[in-house]
Amino acid sequence: MHPFVFACIAPHGGEIIPELKGPDPQRMAATRESMEKLGTYMTEAKPDCIIVLTPHGTRINGMFSISDSEKMNGSWKENDGIFEMEKHVERDLARKIAEEANKNGIASSTINYGTSSGPISCLPLDWGAIVPLRFMPDVPVVVITPPRELSFDTHRRFGRSLREAAAQYNKRVGLIASCDWSHTHDENGPYGFDPAAKDLDEQAVHYIKVNKLEKMAEFESGFIEAAKPDGIWQTLILAGAIPPDERHVEFLSYESPTYFGLICAAYFTKVKIQS
């Protein structure tokens, strides 16, 4: 069986969640529709668990941070609404991921909070995980936060280790790269305006469409700093986890209705998935 039954690049803007769309439901309507489709694809793939790569989880400087608590819970507030979520953690897979990464010389650590097990063993679930998981089947998760201090090549290598761990796990695994893109589209946004935002997002869309995710590793640091994306690192992990010759991409949508870009893309493996 292929290590991943389905994978996707999915955004995490709070208004995508239907319960938080507020007084302007059309603002992220295209993305919301695409997320429903990604959720349908993931449900049809029947994963036993889902790995979420998020930029907004608990960070460890210089190390990949991997959830290893009994459960995770969190909430997100927007437009006078609140959405809450609790998930069980697939701890056996989390530990396999850390073990495989460290065996391959990639600095990684599992994390926990409170107690080693039981109901108090609970980590916060961030909006980078909550938003895409809102549309996905209710199965256990492993949440991973990558470190930006490490090289792009290390992120691809971590993806390959992730693939090896998922293959050893021998269950059906889904993979989500939770990514918002450039954050400098609007002068009234928190990061101001920079023309690099449009340029970087257009290049990211192109690389996704032509199945060349690895090309994002060639973005120069000044270009990244000007555009302020938060999706490159998770995308490169996905690229390492699923090689180009095993990826079939369905590009669903791009929009930047506020100050940041939103991309939805589905990845189907070219290897037949066993029932």
Side-chain angles (χ1 to χ4, degrees), residues 182-189 191-201 222-228 259:
S182 297
H183 283 64
T184 55
H185 283 281
D186 187 347
E187 62 181 9
N188 295 317
Y191 306 102
F193 173 79
D194 195 292
K198 182 175 184 293
D199 190 9
L200 189 146
D201 281 8
F223 183 43
I224 294 171
E225 177 58 30
K228 291 182 170 50
Y259 64 91

Side-chain angles (χ1 to χ4, degrees), residues 90-138:
E90 192 68 22
R91 304 184 76 176
D92 288 345
L93 177 57
R95 292 166 184 174
K96 285 182 183 292
I97 293 168
E99 178 183 354
E100 194 65 32
N102 283 301
K103 185 179 77 174
N104 292 323
I106 304 166
S108 305
S109 180
T110 56
I111 57 172
N112 194 358
Y113 176 80
T115 57
S116 60
S117 60
I120 303 176
S121 171
C122 184
L123 284 165
L125 194 63
D126 69 282
W127 70 98
I130 290 171
V131 175
L133 287 173
R134 158 61 179 80
F135 298 87
M136 301 295 159
D138 186 13

Side-chain angles (χ1 to χ4, degrees), residues 228-245:
K228 291 182 170 50
D230 72 13
I232 298 171
W233 297 264
Q234 299 83 257
T235 298
L236 291 175
I237 294 173
L238 188 152
I242 306 176
D245 62 349

Side-chain angles (χ1 to χ4, degrees), residues 38-263:
L38 290 178
T40 296
Y41 288 154
M42 186 71 82
T43 299
E44 290 173 346
K46 299 178 180 178
D48 295 305
C49 62
I50 296 173
I51 297 170
V52 186
L53 311 171
T54 171
H56 301 304
T58 303
R59 297 183 182 183
I60 306 174
N61 289 340
M63 303 184 77
F64 290 86
S65 171
I66 304 163
S67 63
D68 183 22
S69 51
E70 286 283 347
K71 60 183 180 179
M72 303 180 76
N73 64 33
S75 63
W76 190 246
K77 297 179 180 180
E78 202 150 339
N79 293 318
D80 297 322
I82 183 169
F83 183 80
E84 299 177 305
M85 177 178 286
E86 182 168 290
K87 291 287 184 180
H88 289 284
V89 177
E90 192 68 22
R91 304 184 76 176
D92 288 345
L93 177 57
R95 292 166 184 174
K96 285 182 183 292
I97 293 168
E99 178 183 354
E100 194 65 32
N102 283 301
K103 185 179 77 174
N104 292 323
I106 304 166
S108 305
S109 180
T110 56
I111 57 172
N112 194 358
Y113 176 80
T115 57
S116 60
S117 60
I120 303 176
S121 171
C122 184
L123 284 165
L125 194 63
D126 69 282
W127 70 98
I130 290 171
V131 175
L133 287 173
R134 158 61 179 80
F135 298 87
M136 301 295 159
D138 186 13
V139 297
V141 300
V142 176
V143 175
I144 300 173
T145 301
R148 297 189 183 183
E149 301 85 7
L150 300 185
S151 69
F152 287 152
D153 180 65
T154 301
H155 284 73
R156 293 197 300 269
R157 289 174 54 225
F158 181 82
R160 291 194 287 272
S161 287
L162 191 68
R163 173 191 178 89
E164 293 168 9
Q168 295 170 27
Y169 183 60
N170 202 31
K171 290 186 180 179
R172 303 175 71 87
V173 181
L175 178 61
I176 300 172
S178 179
C179 307
D180 286 342
W181 294 88
S182 297
H183 283 64
T184 55
H185 283 281
D186 187 347
E187 62 181 9
N188 295 317
Y191 306 102
F193 173 79
D194 195 292
K198 182 175 184 293
D199 190 9
L200 189 146
D201 281 8
E202 286 178 349
Q203 291 187 51
V205 166
H206 173 70
Y207 291 148
I208 291 169
K209 286 181 175 180
V210 300
N211 199 21
K212 294 183 177 180
L213 302 181
E214 295 79 5
K215 295 288 286 183
M216 293 190 201
E218 299 177 10
F219 289 150
E220 295 182 354
S221 59
F223 183 43
I224 294 171
E225 177 58 30
K228 291 182 170 50
D230 72 13
I232 298 171
W233 297 264
Q234 299 83 257
T235 298
L236 291 175
I237 294 173
L238 188 152
I242 306 176
D245 62 349
E246 295 179 11
R247 298 194 299 251
H248 174 70
V249 60
E250 180 181 337
F251 185 86
L252 297 179
S253 63
Y254 170 82
E255 62 177 345
S256 55
T258 59
Y259 64 91
F260 56 95
L262 307 168
I263 293 175

